[in-house]
Amino acid sequence: MSLSLAQTTISADDPLVLEALFELISHDIVEKGYSIRPQALPENLTTLLLQRITELPEENFKRAGIGRAKDHTINDFIRTDEICWINGNSSAGCAWIKWTRLLQEYLNKRLFLGLFSFESHFSHYAKGDFYKKHKDAFKGEGNRVLSVVVYLNQNWSRDDGGELVIYDQSLANSAIIEHNKITVTPSFGTIVVFLSEEFPHEVLPALRDRYAIAGWFRLNTSIANNIDPPR
Ligand code: OGA
Ligand code: MN
């Protein structure tokens, strides 16, 4: 029996569609060290996450800091966004964690990355908020391996600012310096994945409320009584 297109509903969270997306992301990472995939996060998941982030009470969001554990400080010159860590307490949080687990399993199978754990937070940039050029991990620290960012903003226009700029150091010696910058519009459903130690990046000032999730896959670096990541 042949199926007409109208009878077939192919949804973005269909296992085959997900696997095709994960393969594209793997391929990008091998080729370039980063992957930018517009409209790639399943739409129902993106909608659920947007609902969750806009419903979360303002007091759940805390000023984001820089540095980990005892080195954690708030710095108005580096970043001004607010964050709320994601746990499995909401259906949106659960669905997100499930999706990231599938991605983790795929990348481990395909690229032998040895990703062990995942942590992520919602982020809210109000008008004027930014995050200056930084790296998510430093060589030798061996913790954050792969950064994942997804955007939850409907109808983001060029005039709304808030772009993610990724600096590709392998292109830094090219004749036209500007070419080492990759600029990403934070549009609904766009997924960005990159090697945490390799790519400095920044968030340009947003001109309206900007909602995203930033997350990191980590290696298992717990030794003896030192449980890592610290909570
Ligand atoms: C971060 C980050 C990028 C973005 O939270 O570390 O770089 O586009 N976020 O929100
Ligand atoms: Mn970052």
Side-chain angles (χ1 to χ4, degrees):
M1 189 185 75
S2 70
L3 279 176
S4 81
L5 212 56
Q7 286 173 299
T8 339
T9 44
I10 301 171
S11 105
D13 52 5
D14 181 302
L16 288 177
V17 176
L18 266 192
E19 194 153 307
L21 169 65
F22 294 162
E23 179 52 31
L24 290 171
I25 293 174
S26 303
H27 185 261
D28 288 343
I29 290 169
V30 170
E31 290 272 291
K32 305 181 291 194
Y34 64 86
S35 179
I36 299 162
R37 293 278 156 197
Q39 291 183 323
L41 196 66
E43 192 178 345
N44 50 0
L45 175 58
T46 320
T47 303
L48 204 60
L49 291 166
L50 175 59
Q51 265 166 15
R52 176 73 183 153
I53 199 172
T54 44
E55 279 166 17
L56 270 172
E58 181 56 33
E59 60 266 26
N60 288 30
F61 283 84
K62 304 279 182 270
R63 274 294 307 279
I66 49 173
R68 296 184 65 77
K70 67 179 184 354
D71 298 324
H72 188 91
T73 50
I74 304 293
N75 185 323
D76 287 334
F77 296 102
I78 297 184
R79 70 186 298 188
T80 58
D81 60 315
E82 291 194 326
I83 64 167
C84 174
W85 289 95
I86 298 177
N87 50 42
N89 294 350
S90 68
S91 55
C94 272
W96 164 248
I97 290 167
K98 200 169 143 196
W99 185 87
T100 61
R101 188 156 305 142
L102 293 173
L103 175 61
Q104 173 177 333
E105 283 166 8
Y106 192 90
L107 294 173
N108 280 345
K109 245 192 316 195
R110 177 73 167 66
L111 306 179
F112 308 105
L113 283 177
L115 307 174
F116 179 78
S117 66
F118 183 72
E119 54 181 351
S120 63
H121 61 61
F122 288 115
S123 67
H124 172 219
Y125 291 69
K127 191 172 179 190
D129 284 344
F130 59 83
Y131 192 166
K132 289 271 165 65
K133 189 169 170 182
H134 66 282
K135 272 195 201 175
D136 289 343
F138 292 93
K139 283 211 167 60
E141 286 185 0
N143 49 12
R144 289 174 167 179
V145 180
L146 200 66
S147 303
V148 181
V149 188
V150 301
Y151 299 106
L152 309 176
N153 309 295
Q154 282 159 328
N155 309 315
W156 196 268
S157 90
R158 275 173 167 270
D159 304 330
D160 293 328
E163 295 94 341
L164 169 69
V165 179
I166 300 173
Y167 296 85
D168 187 344
Q169 293 166 310
S170 71
L171 304 175
N173 292 329
S174 73
I176 306 160
I177 302 290
E178 282 301 298
H179 278 185
N180 68 352
K181 279 200 213 174
I182 301 134
T183 303
V184 184
T185 306
S187 297
F188 191 78
T190 296
I191 302 172
V192 179
V193 181
F194 58 92
L195 295 170
S196 305
E197 290 179 353
E198 301 297 327
F199 296 94
H201 54 281
E202 72 178 306
V203 179
L204 301 179
L207 302 177
R208 57 172 256 212
D209 288 310
R210 176 195 195 266
Y211 296 104
I213 295 175
W216 299 272
F217 290 109
R218 300 161 60 97
L219 299 178
N220 183 8
T221 53
S222 300
I223 331 163
N225 296 324
N226 179 15
I227 300 303
D228 194 35
R231 280 283 157 192

